[in-house]
Amino acid sequence: MVTNNGYLFWDTIVVEKRSRKNQTVKMKKDKKTLRGESERIQSALRVNKMQYLRTFLDRHGKLRIQMRKKGHKPIYLKAEPLTPEFYKEYGEAVGQFHSIPVDETKTHFGSFSWLIQKYLASSTLKALDAHTQNNRRRALLKIEKNWGHLRVKDIDRYDIQRIRDQKADEGYPAQAINITKFMRYAWKWAQRDPDLQSYFRHNPFDGLPSVKDDPKLRQIVHRCGGKQWTGHYTWTRKDCQMFFDYWEPGTRPHICGSLMYWLGLRIGDARLVGPRHIDQVRMTTAQGEVYFPDCLVFTTSKKIGNPPKGVDLCLEIPAQLQTAIDSATATKIVSLDHFVTNSFGKPYSEKSLPQNFSKWASQAGLPDYATAHGLRKALATQMAEAGSSSNELKAVFGWTNSVMADLYTREAEQPRMAAAGISHIIKERTGNKGG
């Protein structure tokens, strides 16, 4: 706005500039005053020989007092400096510094933590499969957190038993057995290392009670609805029917479940196989006829043996599974490399697919303890009940020995053998009565 003389507008601008300049000068003076106050307080604190203190001005020009010590989180003192409340707060902070343990990443020479860190960094562990490395690393780091302070020269079998019992008392007997194995692997590795073997001349695992002798390490028997089982719950025929009735063909749960139900794949193999694994293989029938069916040819992700390696499998694709594959392909949820993909067209991770499958089973009305591995066990049970031999089970499921195959065949033969035995005694008793 301009008045008759034309100067009012420009006078207002000049006044505003002077005002801002005065405010800036005042802020500089205040900041200088606060800086001088900070130096005065700091010198007073030095006279009092108060450790761990650091004073500074933050971006708002406020004086801040911080306590810092290596290996600990910084603590800010909020009380007015050099007041009784300030000294009380300072004393409490010093007490916290002395009660909080120092940085736990440090390992002391000759401690159990030192052994674990050496083993985790060794080429022996790095030569193993990535999944095996992660399992051992995760378990040993948990042991290090609670028992890393032990001296390796003082560790005996009672210490190993206490570590194992701690995990068993938590309700995880299988994990207790595994951590004992992992500790034994680390100890044997140190005994073979020329630079470390002088510290590991004794073996604390000698005399340790075996798994059979320790009742804490026996498998937990689950009981629910009149059923009992160990390990993963085996799906019944009714459970399988409920799952496939709920999830229609062309859905991710249906194609994933079909791979395990018709071919007995592990969830880890179902995650990795795809159309590129399908090939026509020459086969011969019992009558000598030659035919070339579509087969799923792959190597299992689970590695066994020494050196560890996967098992090569060639499984003929049944018509029911081929129908499920065609339906999944029609809905465009199958990629060239994977039958089971997520919403982004990418394969599921190693942990996410089992978790998602458990959710899919719960949505279909199955109990919470129904897992993906139970569907694989269902196929093994049904094959054994249908009269499959141990060698046939080994060929389908990739087992290299007959332990698991004989287990399923024995369980399947029990009802038949029991019925045959009862029929013999009935015939005998009926014959005696008739005679």
Side-chain angles (χ1 to χ4, degrees):
M1 179 179 179
V2 182
T3 59
N4 294 333
N5 56 13
Y7 291 103
L8 180 59
F9 176 74
W10 302 110
D11 290 345
T12 304
I13 294 177
V14 171
V15 170
E16 289 179 354
K17 287 185 176 179
R18 289 177 179 176
S19 177
R20 286 198 297 269
K21 185 176 180 180
N22 292 336
Q23 290 178 359
T24 304
V25 173
K26 184 179 179 181
M27 289 176 60
K28 289 183 178 180
K29 288 183 178 179
D30 293 342
K31 194 171 182 179
K32 187 175 181 180
T33 303
L34 288 172
R35 187 179 292 109
E37 184 71 11
S38 173
E39 293 176 356
R40 184 185 67 83
I41 294 173
Q42 191 172 10
S43 62
L45 297 176
R46 288 175 180 172
V47 171
N48 295 335
K49 296 183 179 180
M50 301 180 71
Q51 296 180 336
Y52 315 126
L53 288 180
R54 171 175 172 261
T55 60
F56 64 95
L57 297 176
D58 61 13
R59 61 189 181 90
H60 301 291
K62 184 178 179 180
L63 177 65
R64 304 293 298 273
I65 299 180
Q66 184 188 63
M67 296 187 63
R68 300 180 64 180
K69 184 180 179 182
K70 188 176 181 180
H72 302 269
K73 292 183 178 180
I75 300 176
Y76 289 90
L77 303 182
K78 300 180 180 180
E80 186 70 22
L82 305 180
T83 60
E85 293 79 8
F86 171 80
Y87 290 110
K88 181 180 179 182
E89 189 177 4
Y90 170 79
E92 294 175 353
V94 173
Q96 291 183 32
F97 277 167
H98 289 282
S99 61
I100 300 176
V102 297
D103 190 357
E104 296 181 355
T105 59
K106 291 184 177 180
T107 56
H108 297 283
F109 180 83
S111 64
F112 201 19
S113 176
W114 168 72
L115 167 62
I116 292 174
Q117 292 297 331
K118 286 283 188 180
Y119 177 69
L120 294 180
S122 66
S123 58
T124 302
L125 181 65
K126 294 179 180 178
L128 301 176
D129 181 66
H131 182 70
T132 304
Q133 291 185 46
N134 292 334
N135 288 340
R136 294 190 184 183
R137 180 176 289 104
R138 186 164 49 247
L140 291 174
L141 288 178
K142 289 182 180 179
I143 297 173
E144 180 189 9
K145 184 177 180 180
N146 298 326
W147 305 91
H149 62 279
L150 298 177
R151 305 289 297 179
V152 292
K153 288 189 175 182
D154 300 332
I155 294 178
D156 54 19
R157 67 183 181 92
Y158 300 104
D159 295 320
I160 302 298
Q161 189 168 355
R162 279 199 300 270
I163 298 174
R164 188 175 70 176
D165 290 347
Q166 183 185 42
K167 183 59 68 174
D169 293 338
E170 295 174 1
Y172 303 104
Q175 293 185 21
I177 297 173
N178 287 336
I179 62 174
T180 307
K181 291 180 181 178
F182 299 158
M183 289 188 294
R184 184 182 281 112
Y185 295 152
W187 200 276
K188 287 185 177 180
W189 167 82
Q191 288 181 328
R192 292 192 299 267
D193 191 288
D195 298 331
L196 303 177
Q197 58 185 0
S198 59
Y199 298 94
F200 300 91
R201 298 188 183 280
H202 70 295
N203 189 357
F205 298 91
D206 290 341
L208 190 69
S210 64
V211 175
K212 296 181 180 180
D213 297 335
D214 194 341
K216 293 181 180 180
L217 303 181
R218 294 171 185 168
Q219 283 190 322
I220 298 177
V221 179
H222 305 277
R223 294 179 176 85
C224 183
K227 304 175 184 177
Q228 65 177 16
W229 67 91
T230 58
H232 292 273
Y233 167 73
T234 304
W235 290 28
T236 62
R237 297 178 185 271
K238 182 180 178 181
D239 295 334
C240 299
Q241 189 65 36
M242 287 176 58
F243 182 84
F244 289 108
D245 286 345
Y246 184 85
W247 296 107
E248 298 179 352
T251 59
R252 292 183 176 88
H254 188 277
I255 183 62
C256 183
S258 298
L259 290 169
M260 292 183 287
Y261 183 67
W262 291 107
L263 295 182
L265 268 62
R266 295 184 180 89
I267 187 71
D269 294 328
R271 181 181 71 90
L272 298 175
V273 297
R276 62 187 173 89
H277 293 95
I278 297 178
D279 194 9
Q280 289 185 340
V281 179
R282 185 181 187 276
M283 291 191 179
T284 307
T285 63
Q287 292 75 22
E289 298 178 357
V290 178
Y291 67 109
F292 296 87
D294 288 338
C295 297
L296 194 66
V297 183
F298 67 101
T299 303
T300 60
S301 58
K302 183 177 181 179
K303 294 178 174 56
I304 55 178
N306 189 16
K309 60 180 181 178
V311 180
D312 296 330
L313 292 180
C314 176
L315 305 175
E316 183 177 354
I317 299 176
Q320 297 85 344
L321 178 58
Q322 187 62 53
T323 302
I325 293 175
D326 294 339
S327 300
T329 305
T331 55
K332 299 181 179 180
I333 61 173
V334 173
S335 67
L336 180 61
D337 296 330
H338 302 90
F339 287 122
V340 185
T341 59
N342 56 23
S343 57
F344 301 100
K346 302 294 183 180
Y348 285 91
S349 66
E350 186 177 356
K351 291 185 178 180
S352 64
L353 184 56
Q355 294 173 356
N356 279 279
F357 194 87
S358 297
K359 294 179 182 178
W360 297 335
S362 299
Q363 292 174 12
L366 273 70
D368 295 337
Y369 45 79
T371 61
H373 195 71
L375 195 55
R376 172 181 161 93
K377 294 178 67 175
L379 177 62
T381 302
Q382 294 175 18
M383 287 182 61
E385 291 174 352
S388 299
S389 64
S390 295
N391 288 333
E392 291 173 343
L393 290 173
K394 289 165 59 179
V396 172
F397 295 97
W399 297 325
T400 55
N401 56 56
S402 302
V403 176
M404 292 301 300
D406 293 342
L407 175 63
Y408 283 103
T409 53
R410 280 198 306 269
E411 292 180 352
E413 290 173 357
Q414 188 273 331
R416 292 197 295 266
M417 296 179 66
I422 293 175
S423 65
H424 292 325
I425 194 64
I426 289 176
K427 289 179 181 180
E428 180 182 352
R429 291 175 179 178
T430 304
N432 289 341
K433 287 183 179 181

